[in-house]
Amino acid sequence: MGYTEKSLIGGETVLYRARLHWIVLLWPALVGGCIGVIGIGLLAGAVIPSLRPHGLAGAMGVVGLLLFLAALALVGIGVVNRNATEIAVTSRRVLIKTGLVNRRTVELLLVKIESIGVHETPLGRMLGFGTVIVRGTGGTPEQFDRISSPLEFRRQVQNQVEGLTTPAVR
């Protein structure tokens, strides 16, 4: 059970979930991949006699293993950071939680949302990610970067705000 489910109040339901775009994994994967390739190369050099300089097999093996484990850790940290972010639109609020160890939460009542903006770079438009800026009444803007499908997130919030503010027609 995640933060969103634990934070629901009576009668509140989750209507839409968003998440960070896969682009947040790009740098950890690229850097981790480079470090991992070097580590595998050193491990191979330690194991294959024709690649091994005389007397350095043990050191090459240890350094190679450490580099490979560091690469795995780097990619793992990126995945954990992506999965530690929860973004949801409920029937009453917008909930955003980031971080695993250092947690940051923003919970805005739908009736208190003044505006929601989206900023997309050309690359973000092509790949489907952007920055969402939510402003509450009297509050400072809350900015969240690299949100997947930011226009759909904004549409979902606007639909809920509209449903709360539209008077019933009789």
Side-chain angles (χ1 to χ4, degrees), residues 1-77:
M1 181 183 304
Y3 174 81
T4 302
E5 288 77 20
K6 290 178 184 175
S7 298
L8 294 177
I9 54 179
E12 186 176 28
T13 57
V14 176
L15 304 171
Y16 180 76
R17 289 182 188 275
R19 64 181 306 164
L20 293 180
H21 194 266
W22 61 263
I23 200 80
V24 301
L25 298 174
L26 184 62
W27 285 113
L30 285 175
V31 173
C34 290
I35 293 171
V37 166
I38 294 168
I40 290 172
L42 289 172
L43 281 171
V47 175
I48 301 170
S50 63
L51 299 176
R52 165 177 53 210
H54 185 66
L56 293 177
M60 284 178 63
V62 170
V63 171
L65 181 63
L66 290 175
L67 286 175
F68 183 73
L69 292 176
L72 287 178
L74 189 60
V75 172
I77 288 170

Side-chain angles (χ1 to χ4, degrees), residues 79-157:
V79 169
V80 168
N81 283 337
R82 180 176 188 234
N83 292 334
T85 300
E86 295 182 41
I87 304 164
V89 179
T90 72
S91 53
R92 296 182 184 177
R93 300 178 287 174
V94 173
L95 302 166
I96 302 173
K97 189 244 350 157
T98 59
L100 190 62
V101 176
N102 295 324
R103 182 184 301 187
R104 177 176 179 237
T105 61
V106 175
E107 299 181 13
L108 288 164
L109 294 172
L110 291 171
V111 295
K112 299 289 185 182
I113 292 178
E114 192 172 272
S115 68
I116 182 165
V118 173
H119 175 72
E120 293 177 299
T121 63
L123 179 64
R125 288 184 62 189
M126 287 188 293
L127 297 178
F129 69 92
T131 299
V132 175
I133 303 153
V134 181
R135 291 187 208 306
T137 54
T140 59
E142 297 289 344
Q143 179 173 316
F144 300 95
D145 298 321
R146 297 178 305 259
I147 303 294
S148 186
S149 304
L151 295 176
E152 177 62 20
F153 178 75
R154 180 180 67 186
R155 191 180 71 74
Q156 292 290 332
V157 172

Side-chain angles (χ1 to χ4, degrees), residues 162-170:
E162 175 95 7
L164 292 174
T165 59
T166 304
V169 178
R170 296 179 193 222

